[in-house]
Amino acid sequence: MKQMKIFLIIVLSAIFASANIFAQQNNETPVALIKKIIKDVSYKQIDATDWEIAKTGDPLKNGEQVKTGFKSLALVLFTDGTGLLRVRENSIMYIYGDRDGKKLNKNTFIEKGLIGFDVNKQDIEEFKFTTPTAVAAIRGTAGYLEVGPDSSTTVVCDHGKIEVQSLIGEKKKVMVEGGFALSILPNGKLFKGEMSPNQKNKFGKTKKSKARKIFIETEEGTIELEFYPEED
Amino acid sequence: MLLKYKSFIIMLGIMFLILPLVIIAQASNTVSTISFSEIKDRTPVDVKVSLINSSSISRIQIVYKSFQETEFRVREMELLGDIATYQIAAEDVSAPMLTYYLIIEMQAGTQETYPLGVPDAARPIDLTVSTVSEKDKEILILSPGANETVSLNDLFISISLVNAPDDVDISKTKIILNGEDISKNVMFAGDLLLYYPQNFEGSVEGGEQNLEIEVYNNDGELYHSIKRKFTAVDAITASNIGSGFRFYGNVAGEVRNEAFNGAFTLYNNIALSLNGAVNDWKFKGYGYLTSEENTSVQAQNRYSVSVESSWMKLRGGDSYPRYNNLLLNGKRIRGVNGIIDYGIFHMQGSYGEVRREIEGKLNNTFSKDNTPLQSNVIRIDSVKYGNPFGLVNFGVHSRKLLAGRIGLGGRETFEMGVSFLHAKDDANSIEFGAKPEENLVASTDIRLALDNQRIIFKTVGSMSVINSDITSGTYSDEQIDSIFASGSELGGDIESFKNIKNIISPFMTVNQFVEPLNVGGASSLATETSLELNYFNNNLKGSYIYRGNQFKSFGQEYTRTDVAGLNISDRFRTFENQLFFTLGYENLNDNLQGTKIATTTFQTLRASVSLFMRRDMPNITFSYTNNKNENGIEPTDSLNKFLSIDDITNRFSLNLGYDFNLKVKHNTSLGFMISNRDDNSFFNNDANYFSTSFTLNSYWTRAFVSNFSAIYYNSKISIVKYKYVTLSLGGRYLLLNDNIELSLNYSPSFGDFNRHAIDFTAAYQMVKNLWIRGQMRYYAMANASANIISGITVSYNF
């Protein structure tokens, strides 16, 4: 009987603790949410070991990750209305948000892949992207960041300004203005120049987020095939 | 404090209601109603005018300006049947006020204004321009986007209140979708609200959706509400969006009868609009055919087709090309208008007919000996008509216009362009007309923006040449020698005239009617230069204008000429964009070419204070304007006293707007305007105006909305007094699942303007997207027969 009581106490404590944790989680405002999904997108909650299939409207809290598969796309909106990220295929990113009063400082870590961004003019908040080789601070800018398999980073600025600091080599700070691009190689070397036609083309494509679907009627019902139009 | 304030508002309302003479709507013989879309700072405003006896109207122009400006812009409205529309560009809409009136030109050649008597016997109307509310920024609808089309499978609603102040109680937030409160099904994640309709089967059906968010404070009072429209479609439709060819459109037919002063006129018209798209290319087609079309008036039918992509636009048929304000802006052209924006390269070209020919009428003929000396007696074909002179009603020559612009750069940093306009009457298009004219204008424009648009420098310069009679064509050098030598007053300018002819004759007709003869005098030059600085919550703008007395562009026929001077204004915002101060000064003068006996100076001082509180308080705008015009001629001057100008006008206005909850949601506005002109010229034309208006809109249920308004107007101009009161009471009611819409409005006016007006509309959706609408307007003017406009419209969206 005593064991039973102990068991009940443990169970009730666990339930209470979970409820408390749940309540706390519900009180925490997500940093972002997934606005749109094409094909294979998953996300991982903080401390979770497995990826979960994402669906539109899923909130993303501080430290959570988003992963896209082959020919896939995720649109991510920040909950303070400051910006939109387009997570292109085969990308992994982490969302971080540090709330300081009404201010939400955002930092997105791009592990690999390509992220297009459209960020409103920031008053006092920070909006940063971090990659294995660079940190980019943004104020009212559109462009994209690409992290290659060798951890090299390319920062492309269509309009506005981006302050980029290399995290390796001489750790220099470089300002990238609208129409320019900066490449940071794995050895820390920086190359800045005007956006190449290829980069302009790639930026244009990052803004496209329409998928195509085919519906096949079968006796068992309608099969929906979604695919992303060929980009290359 | 709040209660005290509420008492004050209620007291103001009661005071207003017990005023012995209460007022309302503006007096007009031609305008039934005029409505505006939401008027917000730097946001385009759609204007829609409903007309009475529209068949008698040939053209409507809207004349408007923002508070910081003193010069009105004159723009032609799109006139289709008994509706005239125009969209005021975002850059022309600036807080705290937009002032406007209408010029209505009648087929008979007369013209009136709305309100009647502007500018001499009435004041233009002031509209409060609200700034983008800080509250709007506090309530973020993250999803769906505005006017977004989204698949039902992917639909979710997300509202972020992370920016809302601490006194907002997020848990009290109401989310209303298509009139139904869905708040109980909403998930709260901190300051983020989420609603997934997939969890509630059948909660959302395909079609247009109306979303409304109401946010409350800790006391349970409405803090702010915002609305959004979006469209939900099934998965198959959604997948087709953005791929392949898709289209939608509308077709509408109307039969309308107007009984006006005892005469009955029946009108029929049909309109078709088609919108299509394939990938990034968009196509539009529009056609409007009306029984009002006939050759004795300007074109009433309208049609256009257009194609556009991200880098080009091409429109054929009726178009309204926009260049700079000195060249061509919004005038209707029947022809073609094309724009290319490819990177830093910009090109625009427009060609077409701006007016068609309307033949005049020969009333009488005269022999050489008994010809009267009248301006409308002209030489006619004596073989054809028996006599060499005839008394005519002048017709109108057809006029074609060609305009173009080439520009380089981008609006973000630096852009410059050169443009031109050439317009010419077809002298042979009619037999009995006034003198055919020709106009050539060259223009350059530069825009430089620095420091992320905080510094903006703009300049536009234009030079014009006009020929006021091209009947005889371009003169040869020999003809110039003979004509100018015989005229002693022009004889000295022969060589310069020849030079002008040699330069511009490839582009336009050159004869003795060309102006200006002396290009060096800058009489045909017009420039506008401005510098705008946006720092420390200030919007400081300084500008200089110069318009020679002979400047003329047929693309902007109402540009004020013979004026030059400086204008400086500043708008300062503080207290988190809740308090605005505006201060402006302008000093202009005329007589630039010394063609007048005296130079008049026009000085204007403007100041305003606007309070747009986030709290539960009214928006308040108080403004003051002082105009002083003076030309130094004494009213006792026996020779020139009729030309004397010496007047000062002081004008005060107070506008209040207040949204509140009293059982249901209401919004109100209350405005007062007082103006006093002290005329010390010979004419002693003193003028006093006082007007006040009150409106109340009440949202009793989602289906029932009522409106009440009252206007009082009292003026005394010289010794003429004019006073009236107009009341208006009405409402709109939806029933049978919104498939029937009824609206009724009764508006009586008393005093010197005596009219009773009733507007009734009933609309029924017979099947999905197919509406039949009946409308009846009744107007009874004092000492005149009742006028009734009745019509039926059938429309279908596809």
Side-chain angles (χ1 to χ4, degrees):
Chain A
M1 191 62 187
K2 192 179 177 182
Q3 285 176 331
M4 188 66 171
K5 277 184 182 176
I6 292 168
F7 177 71
L8 272 175
I9 288 168
I10 291 170
V11 169
L12 286 172
S13 301
I15 291 171
F16 177 77
S18 335
N20 199 32
I21 288 165
F22 182 74
Q24 282 174 359
Q25 283 177 340
N26 264 7
N27 284 336
E28 183 190 344
T29 302
V31 178
L33 58 82
I34 299 176
K35 162 79 177 162
K36 184 170 184 172
I37 282 171
I38 293 176
K39 213 177 164 188
D40 174 20
V41 178
S42 52
Y43 76 108
K44 191 157 76 171
Q45 294 180 335
I46 196 159
D47 297 333
T49 51
D50 296 326
W51 291 90
E52 293 180 41
I53 295 171
K55 61 180 188 303
T56 54
D58 274 343
L60 297 169
K61 291 179 181 163
N62 184 29
E64 295 186 346
Q65 300 173 60
V66 176
K67 183 171 77 173
T68 55
F70 179 63
K71 295 291 179 192
S72 302
L73 170 84
L75 293 190
V76 174
L77 268 177
F78 286 94
T79 55
D80 62 353
T82 51
L84 171 74
L85 304 183
R86 299 180 179 89
V87 189
R88 311 303 296 189
E89 63 173 335
N90 298 324
S91 300
I92 299 177
M93 73 166 193
Y94 294 67
I95 292 277
Y96 295 102
D98 177 22
R99 192 168 294 283
D100 180 8
K102 286 289 167 195
K103 192 170 77 169
L104 178 65
N105 297 321
K106 290 144 297 232
N107 196 338
T108 300
F109 176 70
I110 306 169
E111 188 175 306
K112 68 166 189 172
L114 190 151
I115 312 288
F117 56 85
D118 201 339
V119 175
N120 301 333
K121 189 179 168 187
Q122 305 287 295
D123 289 330
I124 47 177
E125 298 96 334
E126 288 179 356
F127 202 122
K128 286 183 178 173
F129 288 96
T130 306
T131 73
T133 53
V135 176
I138 283 174
R139 285 180 186 273
T141 312
Y144 73 83
L145 279 94
E146 185 170 19
V147 177
D150 58 355
S151 295
S152 62
T153 299
T154 304
V155 181
V156 174
C157 181
D158 179 69
H159 63 263
K161 284 178 183 173
I162 306 173
E163 186 186 67
V164 184
Q165 182 176 17
S166 168
L167 296 177
I168 51 178
E170 295 179 7
K171 298 184 180 177
K172 279 170 50 177
K173 276 188 181 176
V174 178
M175 188 64 79
V176 184
E177 301 84 4
F180 285 83
L182 177 74
S183 295
I184 301 140
L185 301 183
N187 59 9
K189 286 191 176 175
L190 308 179
F191 292 98
K192 182 182 170 184
E194 288 191 23
M195 281 172 72
S196 67
N198 183 40
Q199 286 167 331
K200 285 181 183 173
N201 190 31
K202 201 176 258 189
F203 173 71
K205 285 175 178 172
T206 64
K207 293 198 289 184
K208 292 180 180 171
S209 56
K210 286 192 171 72
R212 295 207 177 150
K213 289 182 182 177
I214 297 173
F215 295 86
I216 303 168
E217 297 291 339
T218 68
E219 289 180 357
E220 285 73 32
T222 304
I223 298 172
E224 178 184 313
L225 294 178
E226 184 180 33
F227 65 100
Y228 203 54
E230 190 63 46
E231 287 196 348
D232 300 323
Chain B
M1 184 65 192
L2 199 61
L3 286 174
K4 270 187 182 176
Y5 194 83
K6 281 185 175 172
S7 304
F8 172 67
I9 292 294
I10 291 166
M11 196 173 71
L12 259 182
I14 292 170
M15 280 173 62
F16 175 79
L17 290 172
I18 60 173
L19 278 172
L21 287 171
V22 186
I23 342 345
I24 181 182
Q26 303 293 335
S28 175
N29 299 317
T30 49
V31 174
S32 168
T33 59
I34 180 162
S35 60
F36 294 83
S37 61
E38 192 174 24
I39 304 171
K40 279 196 169 183
D41 194 51
R42 303 298 174 198
T43 305
V45 174
D46 292 312
V47 188
K48 181 180 171 185
V49 181
S50 298
L51 301 161
I52 311 162
N53 192 24
S54 58
S55 61
S56 65
I57 297 167
S58 63
R59 184 158 78 150
I60 297 191
Q61 290 162 302
I62 183 165
V63 186
Y64 66 89
K65 71 175 187 69
S66 70
F67 183 75
Q68 288 89 335
E69 297 168 332
T70 51
E71 186 176 29
F72 282 94
R73 299 179 192 278
V74 184
R75 299 288 183 264
E76 185 172 341
M77 301 187 77
E78 170 93 283
L79 181 59
L80 294 175
D82 59 350
I83 300 290
T85 56
Y86 184 76
Q87 185 181 69
I88 299 175
E91 63 187 26
D92 294 342
V93 181
S94 174
M97 215 174 282
L98 182 72
T99 304
Y100 84 97
Y101 64 98
L102 304 177
I103 298 173
I104 300 136
E105 292 180 9
M106 316 302 285
Q107 300 287 8
T110 58
Q111 123 176 347
E112 68 174 55
T113 63
Y114 173 87
L116 282 172
V118 175
D120 298 326
R123 298 288 314 169
I125 298 168
D126 290 334
L127 301 168
T128 299
V129 179
S130 63
T131 54
V132 174
S133 169
E134 289 299 306
K135 290 180 177 177
D136 289 345
K137 296 176 187 170
E138 294 168 355
I139 306 169
L140 304 172
I141 301 178
L142 297 175
S143 181
N147 300 314
E148 184 182 3
T149 298
V150 59
S151 161
L152 280 165
N153 290 345
D154 295 335
L155 174 63
F156 71 99
I157 293 168
S158 175
I159 294 99
S160 170
L161 296 172
V162 296
N163 296 327
D166 294 337
D167 62 346
V168 161
D169 186 342
I170 291 170
S171 67
K172 292 192 173 93
T173 302
K174 281 187 183 174
I175 300 183
I176 299 157
L177 183 62
N178 300 321
E180 189 180 339
D181 188 349
I182 57 169
S183 310
K184 65 179 185 296
N185 297 326
V186 168
M187 290 169 54
F188 288 75
D191 297 336
L192 189 68
L193 283 64
L194 292 159
Y195 173 73
Y196 301 98
Q198 297 82 2
N199 297 338
F200 307 96
E201 197 174 341
S203 58
V204 181
E205 292 181 354
E208 189 177 275
Q209 315 287 323
N210 292 294
L211 177 66
E212 185 171 4
I213 315 298
E214 291 183 355
V215 177
Y216 293 83
N217 63 19
N218 292 327
D219 297 328
E221 292 173 336
L222 181 67
Y223 174 75
H224 192 48
S225 68
I226 57 172
K227 292 178 180 176
R228 175 161 293 180
K229 286 189 174 183
F230 65 95
T231 303
V233 295
D234 59 62
I236 294 174
T237 307
S239 72
N240 287 333
I241 294 172
S243 61
F245 183 76
R246 66 269 186 195
F247 73 96
Y248 61 93
N250 169 274
V251 59
E254 182 194 31
V255 178
R256 186 174 80 250
N257 182 63
E258 293 190 3
F260 195 76
N261 288 339
F264 293 87
T265 315
L266 186 68
Y267 302 99
N268 303 298
N269 57 62
I270 186 165
L272 171 69
S273 67
L274 279 172
N275 298 273
V278 56
N279 298 325
D280 293 334
W281 291 85
K282 294 176 183 170
F283 309 90
K284 288 182 184 171
Y286 179 73
Y288 172 81
L289 301 174
T290 175
S291 58
E292 295 169 72
E293 176 74 20
N294 72 71
T295 55
S296 63
V297 296
Q298 289 299 321
Q300 301 293 305
N301 291 340
R302 294 284 185 271
Y303 55 84
S304 68
V305 291
S306 67
V307 55
E308 69 175 79
S309 72
S310 58
W311 58 274
M312 68 85 75
K313 292 178 186 170
L314 183 64
R315 180 164 164 165
D318 294 312
S319 63
Y320 300 81
R322 295 195 178 195
Y323 291 75
N324 69 58
N325 280 327
L326 296 174
L327 193 82
L328 170 65
N329 197 329
K331 194 176 188 70
R332 184 181 69 84
I333 290 179
R334 178 160 288 176
V336 62
N337 178 47
I339 299 172
I340 291 174
D341 286 308
Y342 196 80
I344 61 166
F345 179 71
H346 313 281
M347 193 164 79
Q348 181 172 8
S350 312
Y351 176 72
E353 189 179 70
V354 287
R355 71 181 190 202
R356 69 181 179 188
E357 70 278 8
I358 298 173
E359 185 55 274
K361 186 182 174 191
L362 178 63
N363 294 318
N364 203 354
T365 62
F366 302 100
S367 66
K368 196 174 180 181
D369 300 328
N370 67 348
T371 304
L373 193 61
Q374 288 180 224
S375 60
N376 59 342
V377 173
I378 60 171
R379 183 176 288 278
I380 58 175
D381 186 342
S382 57
V383 176
K384 190 173 176 183
Y385 298 106
N387 278 313
F389 295 97
L391 175 73
V392 301
N393 292 339
F394 285 127
V396 178
H397 294 281
S398 69
R399 176 176 291 172
K400 287 202 165 56
L401 183 150
L402 173 69
R405 177 180 183 270
I406 292 176
L408 285 173
R411 289 187 66 80
E412 284 210 341
T413 50
F414 176 78
E415 183 178 346
M416 71 168 295
V418 291
S419 45
F420 76 95
L421 175 146
H422 177 239
K424 185 179 183 181
D425 291 346
D426 181 355
N428 298 318
S429 57
I430 57 170
E431 190 170 4
F432 307 117
K435 293 166 183 171
E437 299 175 306
E438 191 172 356
N439 179 220
L440 185 64
V441 187
S443 186
T444 61
D445 58 273
I446 293 173
R447 187 181 194 278
L448 175 66
L450 300 170
D451 195 13
N452 202 18
Q453 305 283 327
R454 288 192 178 92
I455 302 173
I456 300 172
F457 172 79
K458 288 190 283 191
T459 184
V460 179
S462 297
M463 181 80 86
S464 72
V465 182
I466 185 168
N467 189 322
S468 54
D469 186 358
I470 59 172
T471 312
S472 56
T474 294
Y475 283 177
S476 64
D477 286 352
E478 293 72 28
Q479 286 175 304
I480 293 171
D481 284 337
S482 64
I483 291 168
F484 280 63
S486 62
S488 58
E489 72 277 11
L490 295 172
D493 288 318
I494 291 177
E495 290 310 313
S496 64
F497 189 82
K498 282 181 184 174
N499 287 337
I500 292 171
K501 189 210 80 167
N502 291 333
I503 293 168
I504 65 173
S505 61
F507 309 107
M508 75 177 290
T509 311
V510 180
N511 55 31
Q512 75 270 39
F513 300 107
V514 163
E515 292 177 331
L517 290 173
N518 180 11
V519 179
S523 61
S524 68
L525 174 70
T527 65
E528 291 180 4
T529 301
S530 69
L531 178 64
E532 196 175 326
L533 304 172
N534 296 289
Y535 286 101
F536 312 113
N537 290 335
N538 282 272
N539 172 227
L540 178 64
K541 185 177 178 182
S543 60
Y544 174 78
I545 66 166
Y546 179 94
R547 312 247 180 85
N549 68 338
Q550 289 184 303
F551 177 77
K552 181 78 176 176
S553 170
F554 284 173
Q556 286 289 88
E557 293 177 76
Y558 296 93
T559 301
R560 182 182 176 189
T561 55
D562 193 16
V563 64
L566 286 163
N567 183 329
I568 185 162
S569 68
D570 185 34
R571 191 176 67 176
F572 172 65
R573 60 183 197 276
T574 184
F575 286 107
E576 296 177 314
N577 293 348
Q578 295 178 91
L579 185 60
F580 289 79
F581 295 95
T582 307
L583 190 63
Y585 175 72
E586 184 176 79
N587 191 333
L588 303 175
N589 66 273
D590 66 357
N591 200 21
L592 305 183
Q593 274 66 47
T595 53
K596 294 175 180 170
I597 198 163
T599 299
T600 306
T601 56
F602 309 91
Q603 295 179 73
T604 306
L605 177 68
R606 302 176 301 277
S608 77
V609 181
S610 299
L611 193 62
F612 297 103
M613 297 294 286
R614 294 184 203 176
R615 308 284 166 183
D616 189 24
M617 286 177 68
N619 296 329
I620 302 169
T621 297
F622 174 75
S623 68
Y624 168 70
T625 307
N626 173 282
N627 294 105
K628 185 179 178 186
N629 307 316
E630 193 262 329
N631 70 354
I633 298 177
E634 294 296 326
T636 52
D637 185 330
S638 57
L639 191 61
N640 299 310
K641 61 186 177 186
F642 297 113
L643 300 173
S644 67
I645 296 173
D646 184 5
D647 60 77
I648 298 175
T649 304
N650 287 296
R651 186 161 176 255
F652 300 87
S653 74
L654 176 67
N655 292 288
L656 299 98
Y658 187 49
D659 295 351
F660 63 97
N661 263 17
L662 186 65
K663 302 290 185 191
V664 296
K665 185 175 154 190
H666 307 268
N667 62 51
T668 61
S669 67
L670 181 64
F672 300 91
M673 192 279 287
I674 186 164
S675 173
N676 172 274
R677 182 176 71 202
D678 183 16
D679 187 353
N680 298 310
S681 72
F682 168 79
F683 299 100
N684 192 26
N685 212 4
D686 290 349
N688 294 294
Y689 307 91
F690 173 74
S691 72
T692 181
S693 63
F694 172 76
T695 62
L696 169 67
N697 297 312
S698 303
Y699 303 85
W700 303 99
T701 66
R702 190 187 65 81
F704 179 50
V705 179
S706 69
N707 61 274
F708 169 77
S709 69
I711 294 176
Y712 170 74
Y713 179 88
N714 186 354
S715 68
K716 183 183 175 190
I717 301 163
S718 195
I719 56 169
V720 179
K721 293 181 178 178
Y722 195 73
K723 188 188 292 183
Y724 66 85
V725 174
T726 303
L727 302 172
S728 181
L729 180 65
R732 189 207 66 189
Y733 188 53
L734 301 173
L735 60 163
L736 289 183
N737 293 325
D738 299 350
N739 286 317
I740 292 182
E741 180 182 325
L742 301 173
S743 67
L744 178 66
N745 204 76
Y746 172 52
S747 178
S749 298
F750 311 101
D752 296 321
F753 176 64
N754 195 328
R755 184 186 79 170
H756 289 258
I758 298 172
D759 277 22
F760 174 70
T761 304
Y764 174 53
Q765 186 172 217
M766 296 185 289
V767 295
K768 193 173 183 182
N769 296 328
L770 178 62
W771 283 85
I772 182 167
R773 186 179 300 272
Q775 185 177 34
M776 196 278 291
R777 295 182 194 157
Y778 170 87
Y779 295 87
M781 306 281 287
N783 306 318
S785 60
N787 306 309
I788 298 173
I789 302 169
S790 51
I792 292 177
T793 305
V794 177
S795 68
Y796 180 65
N797 297 320
F798 55 90

